[in-house]
């Protein structure tokens, strides 16, 4: 197979002066940054006026087009439907399904074309109008190619119907064909034409058709040779056309807008029962004759020619080069792959070409703030590299809103992408902490199963409580459930809140034991013990005795433990001095309360035992 | 074509008639987008790329520009000693911060992973590495590392899985590794004489857990083997590995360049057991090094291309399918691997086409 020749295409960056400066670059997640620089790292740069601009270059421009978005959205639905087509289906039913899919794609292209055409007409700015018009012509070309591929590769029309399909194809895309056929039909033998071409629903076999045509063709030839119409040059040339005489046809070149129109017309009159494998002879010569050596084939011509030659890979290759986005080749190749056409061409990695193109297309979608969701589904249907590509791309989606974040997380969770889930939750937790939304931060860290972060957030909660005397986000803390076990600090936070609840419900005995257990089990951080002991004060001062003697001893032990280990970590000297006074008072109060409670507890327990 | 150019180098051939082993599927060549920024006849499908320009207002040469993780912010640094941060969402450009703190040209900037917050590192001729952090909406200097005796040329953050770790390469030949230990504290490990004369570039290997990736119980960190690559003025690329005792040891020396190594770039992982590193050098060569197995230590170089001038910078796209190279010839070229393992920039060199000079033809044994 021939190499495609083409120089590497070049993008010029306006404003960068290459004579003076070099260019450096870096990749962004979906774009590239380029700027002028000087690589020679000297301390003093030369006094060359430097360019302060950074250029951001994007590949997938089309992704941002409003109208094309419909194309992307709707074709996404068709793509998914195609992937889900029952693999069991074979033969005619499968073929008809695939043809239907192809027609769906084409109708989507046409709809897009229509809309863009409307916009082009309505455009106030002529430059915009021109741009839209050119986009319309590109879409039209795409539909032209797709239609031909459908006829040749998917419909696989045999000789006979093949030409009919090609006639339809040309008719759809070239208006002028109608005027020519009108001309022809206006000739002397319309009835013969009519009956001959009454093919829909025709029950004649190919041989019968061929025979009929041969007979009619011979009759026309006889008329010509007999100079039956010698008096009328117009009719003579018409006869020649009907005989498929190329020169005569070419004389009517203005009516034929392009070579493939010429090709089909020519076939119509010279070989209507042309077989698919013979098409390419006619195609090549039609192109050559039509261009007449005056101009060279354009990319579109080459693509169509490759299609007539049944060279699917060349078609895909040329389309990849000519078109500015991967939409067309990705979807077409996928469809052809479903028709099992790529394998039949015996390319070992045929199916991987499909995947390759789909990956490129899907990656392009990720550059867009909402179309990325379509990309996810495409990656799902790429068995080799789809998953890892999705993993790499999905982490880069900016999580601007909570909804978007949740959407991304859901996608990751559905696919068991645990690493990504964890990483995203961590990012969100960090962001929440920075914005002081502790409840949010806590729930993200729990979702991320990040113990370290949960500890950090719990500490913040506790610190807040110490400063303000109340908890924020009570709902969350109250309903932690098993998530509480994620980290010790979190467990403590949950239990501490439980203590407060119990106290509020006047379940003093339970509250008391819980409080004590928090200290004795060492779940409570040492820095918090003072607070806990202070919390115990009201319990100690109740009329009824709540803490048993045993418990009181424990409390005393904790207090002594705490006071014997001054200074508490981290405090500066001046803070220490101030705190000292408060601390001493607190400790004294506690000692007093504990002593009194101990006394009462002993008495009470002694009395109970006694009676 | 004397204008400065960004050449999108072609790959390829969609077809190849040689049967290939399955592992080669990765290496399909496909043509990239084509761009023609200049006006021409209305060729089918050729749309001009959108080029946004950000006016950084730097007063002197820009040395580096980096997008953050999401592509929403841009950090730039310059010989004017400043580091600037812009919000570039929706094609806009809003200056968020103008950070001053360096006393010399700033060579590189690097964004940390967003899970650690908004953190940016910068390194400079003034021998310092500064870590900047956004706190309550304002950017401030969070930490300064002054442990080098000479210009610090390169900074690179480790994969987020390892924690918050920054590698710095300096002209004093040493590489320092800063690890955040919490509460504003950074622990420093220094590898002295990593490269004689100087170290020009550092690049971390992607995080890969040895053995199977089972879900670890919460709070427990899996045992990552941390590795990074460095390139230096001793013409070598060195691979470093962290030992169990926390010390860094030189694991490998990759020799192929005949002049200073200017940049190294370890490719992101796409789930295959191969590791790939790109390196470029003063000698004009760009090599692609591959190691087929994580445990084996044989790296084999393949010459991507020999340029006519110094090659300064190489970088992989995020899915590692394109390598971008910038050289002294004022171009940025993009490369992709071809079906038969060759690296291609131009599709059909044999016909003498292309805007790159004739010397490109040597060493390009293409498919066919």
């Amino acid at each position: 197979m021939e190499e495609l020749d083409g120089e590497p295409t070049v993008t010029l960056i306006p404003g960068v002066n290459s004579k003076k400066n070099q260019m450096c670059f870096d990749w962004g997640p979906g774009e590239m940054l380029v700027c002028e620089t000087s690589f020679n790292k000297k301390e003093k740069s030369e006094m060359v006026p430097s360019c302060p601009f950074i250029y951001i270059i994007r590949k997938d421009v089309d992704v941002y087009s409003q109208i094309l978005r419909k194309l992307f959205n709707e074709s996404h639905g068709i793509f998914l439907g195609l992937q889900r087509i029952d693999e069991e289906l074979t033969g005619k039913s499968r073929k008809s399904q695939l043809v239907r899919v192809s027609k769906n794609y084409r109708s989507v292209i046409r709809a897009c074309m229509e809309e863009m055409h409307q916009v082009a007409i309505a455009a106030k700015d002529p430059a915009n109008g021109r741009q839209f018009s050119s986009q319309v012509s590109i879409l039209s070309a795409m539909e032209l190619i797709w239609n031909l591929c459908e006829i040749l590769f998917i419909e696989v029309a045999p000789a006979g119907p093949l030409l009919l399909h090609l006639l339809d194809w040309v008719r759809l895309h070239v208006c002028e064909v109608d005027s020519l056929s009108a001309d022809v039909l206006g000739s002397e033998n319309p009835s013969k034409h009519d009956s001959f071409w009454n093919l829909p629903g025709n029950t004649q076999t190919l041989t019968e058709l061929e025979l009929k045509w041969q007979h009619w063709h011979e009759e026309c030839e006889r008329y010509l040779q007999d100079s039956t119409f010698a008096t009328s040059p117009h009719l003579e040339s018409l006869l020649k056309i009907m005989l498929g005489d190329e020169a005569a046809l070419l004389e009517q070149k203005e009516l034929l807008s392009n070579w493939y129109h010429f090709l089909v017309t020519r076939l119509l009159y010279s070989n209507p029962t042309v077989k698919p494998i013979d098409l390419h002879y006619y195609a090549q010569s039609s192109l050559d004759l039509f261009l007449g050596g005056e101009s060279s084939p354009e990319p579109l011509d080459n693509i169509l020619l490759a299609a007539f030659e049944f060279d699917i890979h060349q078609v895909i290759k040329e389309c990849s080069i000519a078109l500015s986005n991967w939409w067309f080749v990705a979807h077409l190749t996928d469809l052809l792959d479903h028709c099992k056409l790529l394998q039949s061409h015996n390319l070992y990695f045929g199916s991987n070409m499909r995947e390759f193109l789909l990956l490129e297309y899907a990656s392009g979608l990720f550059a867009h703030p909402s179309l990325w969701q379509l990309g996810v589904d495409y990656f799902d249907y790429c068995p080799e590299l789809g998953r890892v590509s999705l993993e790499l791309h999905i982490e880069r989606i900016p999580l601007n809103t909570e909804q978007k974040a949740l959407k991304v997380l859901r996608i990751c969770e559905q696919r068991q992408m645990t690493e990504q889930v964890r990483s995203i939750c961590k990012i969100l937790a960090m962001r929440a902490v920075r914005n002081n939304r502790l409840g949010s931060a806590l729930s993200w860290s729990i979702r991320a199963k990040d113990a370290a972060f949960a500890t950090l957030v719990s500490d913040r909660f506790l610190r807040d409580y110490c400063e303000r005397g109340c908890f924020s986000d009570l709902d969350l803390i109250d309903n932690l459930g098993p998530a509480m076990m994620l980290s010790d600090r979190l467990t403590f936070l949950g239990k501490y809140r439980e203590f407060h609840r119990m106290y509020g419900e006047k379940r003093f005995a339970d509250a008391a034991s819980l409080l004590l257990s928090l200290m004795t089990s060492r779940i409570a951080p040492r820095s918090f013990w003072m607070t806990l002991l202070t919390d115990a004060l009201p319990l100690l001062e109740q009329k009824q005795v709540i803490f048993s003697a045993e418990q009181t001893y424990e409390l005393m032990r904790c207090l002594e433990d705490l006071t014997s280990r001054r200074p508490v970590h981290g405090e500066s000297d001046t803070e220490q001095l101030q705190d000292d006074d408060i601390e001493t008072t607190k400790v004294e109060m506690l000692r007093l309360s504990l002593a009194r409670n101990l006394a009462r507890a002993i008495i009470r327990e002694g009395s109970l035992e006694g009676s | 074509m004397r204008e400065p150019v960004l050449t999108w180098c072609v790959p390829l051939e969609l077809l190849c008639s040689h049967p290939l082993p399955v592992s080669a599927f990765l290496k399909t060549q496909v043509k990239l987008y084509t761009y023609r920024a200049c006006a021409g006849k209305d060729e089918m499908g050729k749309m001009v790329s959108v080029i946004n320009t950000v006016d950084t207002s730097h007063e002197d040469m820009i040395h580096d520009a980096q997008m953050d993780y999401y592509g929403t912010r841009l950090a730039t640094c310059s010989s004017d000693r400043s580091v600037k941060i812009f919000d570039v969402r929706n094609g806009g450009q809003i200056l968020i911060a103008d950070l001053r703190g360096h006393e010399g040209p700033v060579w590189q900037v690097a964004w940390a992973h967003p899970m650690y917050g908004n953190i940016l590192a910068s390194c400079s001729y003034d021998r310092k590495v500064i870590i900047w952090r956004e706190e309550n909406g304002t950017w401030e200097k969070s930490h300064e590392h002054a442990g080098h005796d000479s210009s610090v040329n390169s900074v690179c953050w480790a994969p987020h899985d390892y924690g918050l770790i920054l590698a710095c390469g300096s002209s004093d030949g040493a590489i320092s590794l800063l690890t955040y230990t919490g509460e504003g504290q950074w622990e420093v490990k220094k590898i002295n004489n990593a490269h004689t004369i100087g170290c020009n570039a550092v690049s971390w290997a992607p995080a890969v857990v040895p053995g199977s990736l089972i879900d670890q119980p919460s709070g427990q960190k899996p045992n990552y083997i941390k590795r990074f690559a460095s390139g230096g003025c001793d013409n070598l690329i060195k691979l470093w590995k962290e030992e169990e005792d926390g010390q860094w040891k030189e694991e490998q020396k990759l020799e192929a360049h005949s002049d200073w190594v200017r940049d190294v770039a370890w490719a992101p992982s796409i789930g295959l057991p191969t590791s790939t590193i790109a390196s470029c050098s003063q000698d004009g060569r760009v090599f692609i090094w591959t190691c087929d197995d994580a445990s084996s230590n044989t790296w084999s170089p393949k010459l991507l291309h020999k340029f006519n001038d110094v090659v300064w910078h190489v970088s992989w796209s995020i899915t590692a399918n394109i390598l971008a190279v910038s050289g002294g010839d004022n171009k940025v070229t993009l490369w992709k691997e071809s079906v038969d393992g060759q690296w291609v920039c131009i599709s059909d060199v044999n016909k003498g086409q292309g805007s790159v000079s004739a010397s490109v033809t040597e060493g390009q044994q293409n498919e066919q």
Side-chain angles (χ1 to χ4, degrees):
Chain A
M1 176 38 71
E2 218 162 281
E3 275 269 21
L4 187 73
D5 58 356
E7 62 239 38
T9 3
V10 157
T11 301
L12 307 178
I13 313 296
V16 174
N17 185 348
S18 74
K19 291 185 180 64
K20 296 215 160 110
N21 291 310
Q22 298 155 334
M23 207 154 76
C24 75
F25 71 93
D26 255 306
W27 290 101
E31 59 279 291
M32 217 183 187
L33 304 172
V34 170
C35 72
E36 269 193 15
T37 188
S38 168
F39 287 114
N40 276 308
K41 291 174 172 162
K42 302 187 179 77
E43 200 207 338
K44 282 270 178 293
S45 55
E46 294 99 49
M47 284 302 128
V48 172
S50 54
C51 174
F53 293 125
I54 307 262
Y55 302 93
I56 303 176
I57 303 172
R58 288 202 174 85
K59 279 206 291 187
D60 303 289
V61 180
D62 292 343
V63 168
Y64 294 92
S65 156
Q66 282 282 61
I67 300 167
L68 286 183
R69 193 182 305 192
K70 272 215 196 108
L71 182 70
F72 300 141
N73 270 309
E74 291 182 20
S75 58
H76 165 256
I78 302 172
F79 172 83
L80 285 181
L82 175 59
Q83 309 310 306
R84 292 171 190 158
I85 278 184
D86 191 0
E87 283 302 314
E88 303 283 309
L89 276 179
T90 47
K92 271 208 161 73
S93 55
R94 187 183 171 80
K95 184 162 98 157
S96 66
Q97 274 209 315
L98 292 169
V99 169
R100 201 176 320 133
V101 169
S102 178
K103 289 196 197 297
N104 282 341
Y105 274 126
R106 279 176 40 219
S107 69
V108 166
I109 300 176
R110 291 200 85 90
C112 192
M113 225 161 82
E114 279 303 316
E115 198 180 325
M116 207 167 279
H117 181 63
Q118 295 306 320
V119 174
I121 299 173
K124 296 204 178 74
D125 177 4
N128 267 344
R130 272 194 300 275
Q131 204 183 3
F132 281 120
S133 292
S134 90
Q135 183 72 319
V136 172
S137 61
I138 292 168
L139 285 169
S140 167
M142 276 169 29
E143 208 259 316
L144 178 76
I145 300 167
W146 194 304
N147 197 345
L148 184 61
C149 290
E150 181 186 305
I151 296 169
L152 298 176
F153 304 141
I154 305 175
E155 185 87 60
V156 195
L162 174 61
L163 188 60
L164 273 185
H165 284 293
L166 289 176
L167 267 175
D168 280 336
W169 173 64
V170 167
R171 201 174 288 135
L172 256 184
H173 292 95
V174 182
C175 316
E176 288 88 274
V177 73
D178 287 333
S179 53
L180 182 61
S181 42
D183 226 12
V184 168
L185 284 171
S187 77
E188 290 263 307
N189 302 311
S191 54
K192 292 243 162 114
H193 284 279
D194 280 342
S195 63
F196 188 82
W197 290 110
N198 195 14
L199 281 182
N202 197 346
T203 52
Q204 303 171 54
T205 65
L206 195 65
T207 341
E208 283 172 10
L209 226 51
E210 268 189 336
L211 230 44
K212 246 190 161 180
W213 182 82
Q214 273 290 71
H215 176 74
W216 173 82
H217 190 91
E218 277 159 16
E219 199 178 319
C220 289
E221 270 186 344
R222 230 181 317 120
Y223 283 149
L224 194 64
Q225 265 152 27
D226 294 347
S227 304
T228 320
F229 299 108
T231 47
S232 165
H234 179 71
L235 283 175
E236 264 215 343
S237 80
L238 214 56
L239 203 54
K240 283 199 189 140
I241 289 172
M242 277 160 35
L243 286 170
D245 182 289
E246 287 108 12
L249 278 169
L250 281 171
E251 272 167 33
Q252 308 296 325
K253 205 167 168 183
E254 324 83 64
L255 293 171
L256 298 167
S257 42
N258 46 51
W259 66 274
Y260 39 96
H261 183 183
F262 172 53
L263 163 68
V264 175
T265 313
R266 193 181 153 202
L267 285 172
L268 175 64
Y269 296 119
S270 62
N271 188 2
T273 53
V274 63
K275 295 203 262 308
I277 48 168
D278 296 331
L279 263 182
H280 75 278
Y281 295 124
Y282 290 97
Q284 183 70 63
S285 62
S286 299
L287 175 62
D288 294 335
L289 284 170
F290 194 84
L291 291 180
E294 285 162 10
S295 43
S296 48
E298 307 214 341
L300 176 58
D301 300 330
N302 290 326
I303 293 170
L304 295 174
L305 206 52
F308 283 121
E309 291 170 5
F310 283 83
D311 192 346
I312 295 183
H313 288 84
Q314 188 67 10
V315 171
I316 296 171
K317 186 171 158 181
E318 301 237 16
C319 289
S320 302
I321 292 165
L323 294 169
S324 65
N325 67 63
W326 295 107
W327 180 87
F328 183 81
V329 282
H331 289 87
L332 182 62
T333 309
D334 173 58
L335 179 56
L336 294 176
D337 187 63
H338 274 86
C339 300
K340 309 259 193 279
L341 284 172
L342 297 182
Q343 276 110 312
S344 76
H345 277 62
N346 232 352
L347 282 185
Y348 201 88
F349 59 100
S351 65
N352 293 318
M353 177 159 64
R354 165 195 173 267
E355 177 159 327
F356 182 94
L357 295 172
L358 285 174
L359 288 173
E360 290 285 338
Y361 172 65
S363 301
L365 289 174
F366 270 85
H368 191 275
S370 61
L371 288 178
W372 63 268
Q373 295 168 74
L374 305 180
V376 174
D377 289 319
Y378 285 97
F379 280 136
D380 281 344
Y381 287 101
C382 292
E384 303 278 353
L385 290 178
R387 192 191 165 84
V388 67
S389 300
L390 180 56
E391 283 171 6
L392 287 168
H393 277 104
I394 205 146
E395 279 194 301
R396 302 284 186 144
I397 298 189
L399 306 166
N400 309 325
T401 61
E402 181 107 346
Q403 287 146 310
K404 200 169 186 189
L406 287 170
K407 207 181 281 189
V408 172
L409 277 173
R410 208 188 356 250
I411 290 172
C412 294
E413 279 163 357
Q414 279 168 351
R415 291 158 180 76
Q416 281 100 44
M417 292 180 175
T418 41
E419 283 305 311
Q420 280 67 34
V421 170
R422 211 172 284 170
S423 153
I424 292 169
C425 287
K426 278 190 191 177
I427 294 171
L428 293 167
M430 170 60 91
R431 215 187 275 177
V433 164
R434 283 209 321 272
N435 292 330
N436 241 338
R437 292 178 292 116
L438 295 181
S440 188
L442 189 59
S443 53
W444 287 123
S445 7
I446 290 172
R447 196 161 176 177
K449 298 200 182 52
D450 187 350
F453 213 82
T455 304
L456 200 137
V457 181
S458 305
D459 268 337
R460 284 282 294 268
F461 266 114
L462 294 167
R463 213 175 339 146
D464 267 3
Y465 168 78
C466 289
E467 280 165 25
R468 295 185 315 181
C470 63
F471 284 110
S472 55
D473 303 281
L474 280 176
D475 265 343
L476 178 63
I477 305 174
D478 282 345
N479 294 307
L480 281 174
M484 215 191 285
M485 298 300 146
L486 183 61
S487 99
D488 279 351
R489 196 56 47 85
L490 184 59
T491 314
F492 170 64
L493 178 66
K495 291 284 176 197
Y496 186 53
R497 170 63 202 140
E498 204 181 318
F499 162 72
H500 277 267
R501 266 205 329 272
M502 285 180 185
Y503 189 94
E505 290 164 14
K506 302 208 191 308
R507 290 158 53 198
F508 295 131
D510 291 332
S513 354
L514 178 57
L515 187 66
L516 189 57
S517 69
L518 286 177
M519 279 187 283
T520 51
S521 65
R522 299 282 189 260
I523 284 186
R526 223 183 171 71
S527 51
F528 216 75
W529 280 18
M530 208 51 194
T531 315
L532 290 174
L533 288 167
T534 319
D535 283 335
L537 268 175
L539 290 171
L540 293 166
E541 295 300 324
Q542 291 276 338
K543 281 219 187 80
Q544 33 165 192
V545 174
I546 299 168
F547 284 103
S548 72
E550 185 67 43
Q551 288 174 326
T552 318
Y553 279 126
E554 283 290 335
L555 283 171
M556 285 167 140
R557 202 171 354 172
C558 291
L559 182 58
E560 293 316 309
D561 207 350
L562 195 59
T563 51
S564 67
R565 293 243 204 119
R566 298 278 204 84
V568 189
H569 39 79
E571 290 180 32
S572 70
D573 281 349
T574 42
E575 277 174 24
Q576 186 113 349
L577 242 43
Q578 286 163 353
D579 287 343
D580 270 354
D581 277 342
I582 305 170
E583 285 302 296
T584 333
T585 324
K586 264 198 213 160
V587 171
E588 280 176 12
M589 273 176 62
L590 273 168
R591 286 215 177 101
L592 188 58
S593 281
L594 284 166
R596 282 212 293 259
N597 193 68
L598 184 60
R600 286 167 26 188
I602 292 175
I603 294 171
R604 190 188 76 162
E605 279 159 34
S607 317
L608 274 166
E609 278 170 349
S611 52
Chain B
M1 198 99 59
R2 289 298 103 203
E3 294 296 309
V5 293
L6 170 67
T7 56
W8 290 87
C9 298
V10 186
L12 0 171
E13 255 307 324
L14 284 180
L15 320 166
C16 177
S17 49
H18 312 289
L20 294 160
V22 176
S23 63
F25 77 76
L26 225 206
K27 303 167 188 181
T28 21
Q29 288 173 270
V30 175
K31 174 102 186 194
L32 291 176
Y33 295 100
T34 60
Y35 288 96
R36 285 205 199 280
C38 37
K41 62 179 177 182
D42 192 19
E43 288 157 343
M44 183 175 88
K46 290 195 161 61
M47 292 198 62
V48 177
S49 61
V50 168
I51 299 182
N52 295 344
T53 55
V54 175
D55 182 355
T56 62
S57 303
H58 273 300
E59 289 150 9
D60 206 334
M61 195 68 69
I62 299 173
H63 291 288
D64 197 13
Q66 291 271 338
M67 281 292 212
D68 75 344
Y69 204 64
Y70 300 117
T72 50
R73 285 183 172 181
L74 173 64
T76 63
C77 62
S78 157
S79 275
D80 69 3
R81 305 172 179 197
S82 73
V83 173
K84 295 192 185 189
I85 302 179
F86 298 86
D87 180 326
V88 291
R89 278 177 292 192
N90 303 319
Q93 43 174 300
I94 304 168
L95 177 69
I96 299 175
D98 186 343
L99 305 170
R100 309 267 164 174
H102 281 296
E103 286 151 3
V106 188
W107 301 130
Q108 267 192 23
V109 283
W111 288 95
H113 192 276
M115 73 166 66
Y116 297 108
N118 286 340
I119 300 177
L120 185 71
S122 63
C123 64
S124 158
Y125 181 86
D126 69 358
R127 300 169 291 166
K128 290 196 282 215
V129 172
I130 298 181
I131 295 173
W132 315 85
R133 208 181 201 125
E134 189 188 26
E135 210 64 62
N136 299 323
T138 42
W139 281 88
E140 278 154 11
K141 187 196 289 199
S142 166
H143 181 71
E144 191 177 284
H145 170 60
H148 285 286
D149 306 321
S150 200
S151 169
V152 184
N153 301 319
S154 175
V155 278
C156 183
W157 290 101
H160 67 87
D161 317 67
Y162 300 166
L164 194 57
I165 307 178
L166 183 71
C168 322
S170 163
S171 287
D172 65 3
I175 298 173
S176 53
L177 293 132
L178 311 180
T179 308
Y180 187 64
T181 50
E183 315 269 332
Q185 299 302 310
W186 293 80
E187 178 192 275
V188 181
K189 285 200 192 115
K190 199 166 175 198
I191 306 172
N192 284 306
N193 295 315
H195 291 274
T196 45
I197 308 175
C199 172
N200 293 322
V202 282
S203 174
W204 288 87
V208 173
V209 179
S212 58
L213 204 72
I214 319 163
D215 213 3
Q216 298 284 338
S218 62
Q220 228 177 300
K221 279 220 154 88
N223 288 331
Y224 291 108
I225 295 180
K226 301 182 192 137
R227 278 196 176 91
F228 70 90
S230 65
C233 302
D234 50 7
N235 308 350
L236 295 174
I237 297 146
K238 293 191 179 181
L239 303 185
W240 305 87
K241 180 174 137 180
E242 194 192 42
E243 302 281 277
E244 270 152 30
D245 60 357
Q247 294 308 306
W248 287 86
K249 193 181 90 144
E250 181 188 309
E251 197 188 28
Q252 283 266 291
K253 260 201 248 291
L254 306 180
E255 291 188 62
H257 286 293
S258 54
D259 206 335
W260 292 12
V261 177
R262 282 289 169 192
D263 203 4
V264 284
W266 206 310
S269 160
I270 41 166
L272 296 178
T274 39
S275 297
T276 311
I277 297 177
S279 68
C280 66
S281 155
Q282 200 94 12
D283 65 8
R285 289 190 179 82
V286 176
F287 280 104
I288 310 288
W289 303 82
T290 44
C291 176
D292 279 325
D293 190 337
S295 61
S296 88
N297 274 323
T298 22
W299 289 82
S300 19
K302 195 184 310 179
L303 178 70
L304 175 78
H305 188 54
K306 169 145 187 355
F307 291 86
N308 285 336
D309 204 335
V310 180
V311 184
W312 296 94
H313 189 28
V314 282
S315 175
W316 297 94
S317 62
I318 61 160
T319 44
N321 56 353
I322 307 176
L323 178 69
V325 176
S326 73
D329 58 354
N330 304 345
K331 285 193 204 148
V332 177
T333 50
L334 301 169
W335 302 77
K336 220 166 160 124
E337 198 170 1
S338 76
V339 282
D340 55 358
Q342 292 290 86
W343 284 83
V344 211
C345 179
I346 293 174
S347 67
D348 195 348
V349 174
N350 297 330
K351 292 199 180 144
Q353 303 238 353
S355 60
V356 181
S357 64
S359 68
V360 154
T361 55
E362 62 176 22
Q364 284 263 0
Q365 257 77 71
N366 271 343
E367 56 294 312
Q368 199 84 325

